[in-house]
Structure formats: C-alpha cells, structure tokens
Amino acid sequence: MMEALALLRLYGEWGADTALDDSPTDWLSRPAPSALPPAGTHDAAQVSTPPRPASRPQPPAATPTMPEPRRPPRPAAAGAPAGAEDGLPLIDRAVQQATEAAAAATTLAELHAAMAGFDACGLRDTATHTVAAVGEAPGRLLLIGEPPDAAEDRGGTPFAGPMGELLDRMLASIGLARADMLLAPVIPWRPPGERPPSAAELRICTPFLHRLIVLAAPRKVIAMGNTPARLLTGETTGIARLRGRWRDITLPGQAAPIALLPMRHPSQLGASPTARRDAWKDLLLLRTTLDSGSDTD
C-alpha cells in the first residue's frame, strides 16, 4: 500500500494529475504550474528540510613555503673528460676524446690499450674483443681491412677465419706472407650484426687508424675493401673504381705522404669473375712495385 502511494506521489510530482479523461484536454490553455508546489500538497516529512549537520572546523590554511634554492653544479674532477658544459655535440666530443687518446700513445701496444679503454664509442660495448694490429712493425707493408667480422671479433685478430685463409692464399700467390706485413682492421670493433659502420662511428674511430699508420711508419699501405679505401682516400666511389692504381695520402702527424693501393677485400672475390680478375691484377701491381722499390706504378 505504501509503495502504491509513493508511486502516485511520484506521478504527481511529474505533473500527471489525471489518470483517465473522456475528453481531450487543451494543455496550452492551462496556466503554467508554479515553481513550487502549493502548501499542503506533500507530506510535512517531504516538504520540511532536514537539519544541516554542524560544519566541521576547517584547518588553518597552510603557509606557502619558499622553493628550495637550486644547488650549484659540482665541479668536474681533475683530468675528467669534457662534459656537456663545453658546448660540443656528442659526436664532436667523442672525436676529440679519441684524438687525445690516440695522440697520447707512443707505441702500438699503448695504442691498443687506449682503444680497449675508450668508452665514447658504443661499438666497444657490443663487441667481444678490441681487434688491434698484429704482425711485424715497423714494416714495409700495412694491410688494412674491413671492420671485424664474427670470426675476427671472437679471436681478437684481424683477417681470421675463412677470409683470413683466402688472404693467405692471395699473398702466397705473389710470394708474400703475414709475417711480411702488419695487418689491422679499419675500426677496432665489430658493428652488431656486421652492419656497415655509421658515419659517426667512422669519425670517432678514424683518429686511432691515423695514429696506427703514423706509429707503424709503413712504406706502403694496402686498403682492402670499400670502407678503408674510402676513409683513407676521402673519395666516395666504390672499390671497383678506386682500385688499380697507387695514390699518395697525407695524414695528421705525418710529414711525408704515404703510398696507398686500394684493393678488393677477400670477401668480395666470390661476387664475380671480374672481382677475382681485379684482385689478381692488383696483386701483380703490388709485387711489381715492391720489386722495383718505387712508390707508384
């Protein structure tokens, strides 16, 4: 019963005052209902406003605090490498650090230690070994190859694995051996997945290569592959156009120019008969130049 009364009361609040009418009603002619229902329409319990609870005392407003003063930057430790305060981009700063580390080395062993301790190139962190030069130094020949591959990275020596065996056969065909030269990669660390090194990575590693050539003081340099040939000659064409002739290169810290011969890398010989023919021609040119004692041919 109480639920039915509550439902009727709800209908009245919504404006339903007639349950059923035999004739139509013109609602537009009726006066507009007042905003508040007339007194006595609803129960006193519904009309009356419940007492408001006593307001709780509000806590006093917090006093605004002053911001903590900014601490001055700590001074850099003596001998520490230059940080962001020098205004150099990261790549330029890494190149500067590599140049300073390479210039401080006076022997090939010191250069190897400097490369192993150099932390401004991300390639060092992903490589297994720092691949340094091996062989007789100073010698009359310095052979520079492509970045280390998986076999070279595992063993820590340049021209290891199948490519090294193929190089040995190439050298033996003109009466040379590894003992007659110094061998080194163009950069000391293997790029992940043997991808080509980026331009930034080459810039960072170039001071170590230049210092290697200065310390080794070779009479001739053989650049095997696109990467060392382009890096040392400054040209952007491929090895197919760079090979076939000697040229003089000048390096920082080197007074006299050095004769350089670009050649195909052993890994390229399987590409085509033309690549193998080019390699054989360059080997004959190298043998002829060594026999004549001249710097160019």
Side-chain angles (χ1 to χ4, degrees):
M1 185 64 179
M2 296 299 297
E3 294 178 359
L5 291 176
L7 183 59
L8 290 175
R9 188 177 299 113
L10 178 62
Y11 286 161
E13 294 177 355
W14 286 355
D17 56 357
T18 302
L20 183 62
D21 197 349
D22 295 334
S23 60
T25 303
D26 187 3
W27 295 98
L28 297 178
S29 62
R30 300 184 63 177
S34 58
L36 294 177
T41 304
H42 302 290
D43 295 340
Q46 293 182 347
V47 176
S48 61
T49 304
R52 298 178 60 185
S55 60
R56 297 180 180 178
Q58 298 295 329
T63 304
T65 58
M66 298 297 293
E68 184 179 354
R70 182 176 301 177
R71 297 179 180 179
R74 292 184 302 175
E85 294 80 3
D86 56 12
L88 291 176
L90 292 177
I91 300 301
D92 293 340
R93 189 181 308 123
V95 173
Q96 179 180 345
Q97 295 177 17
T99 303
E100 295 173 354
T106 58
T107 63
L108 292 180
E110 292 180 359
L111 182 63
H112 188 184
M115 292 187 297
F118 185 73
D119 60 357
C121 183
L123 293 179
R124 195 204 68 163
D125 299 332
T126 59
T128 304
H129 289 96
T130 298
V131 184
V134 296
E136 293 295 329
R140 53 180 186 167
L141 277 180
L142 169 60
L143 197 155
I144 301 173
E146 292 280 7
D149 59 15
E152 295 168 311
D153 181 51
R154 284 193 301 268
T157 56
F159 291 98
M163 293 302 103
E165 297 174 358
L166 182 54
L167 174 67
D168 291 339
R169 295 198 296 270
M170 293 171 62
L171 296 176
S173 66
I174 58 172
L176 295 177
R178 289 177 181 248
D180 301 323
M181 63 193 67
L182 188 69
L183 296 91
V186 65
I187 61 176
W189 303 290
R190 173 190 180 229
E194 296 184 20
R195 60 166 174 78
S198 66
E201 292 165 347
L202 289 176
R203 282 190 60 200
I204 296 173
C205 296
T206 296
F208 295 116
L209 178 63
H210 288 172
R211 189 59 178 169
L212 166 67
I213 299 175
V214 171
L215 293 176
R219 290 175 51 195
K220 306 284 191 299
V221 175
I222 311 299
M224 277 193 162
N226 285 302
T227 306
R230 290 171 177 171
L231 188 63
L232 291 173
T233 62
E235 301 182 30
T236 58
T237 57
I239 192 65
R241 292 180 177 272
L242 291 174
R243 54 149 299 273
R245 64 183 180 90
W246 291 92
R247 65 202 67 199
D248 291 336
I249 60 171
T250 304
L251 304 177
Q254 187 80 13
I258 302 177
L260 179 137
L261 177 64
M263 292 181 57
R264 289 188 179 272
H265 192 270
S267 61
Q268 298 176 326
L269 299 190
S272 66
T274 301
R276 293 187 288 273
R277 183 172 61 249
D278 291 344
W280 176 240
K281 289 181 178 179
D282 293 338
L283 288 171
L284 293 178
L285 175 58
L286 173 61
R287 181 73 267 178
T288 301
T289 304
L290 295 177
D291 291 341
S292 63
S294 59
D295 289 341
T296 57
D297 191 348

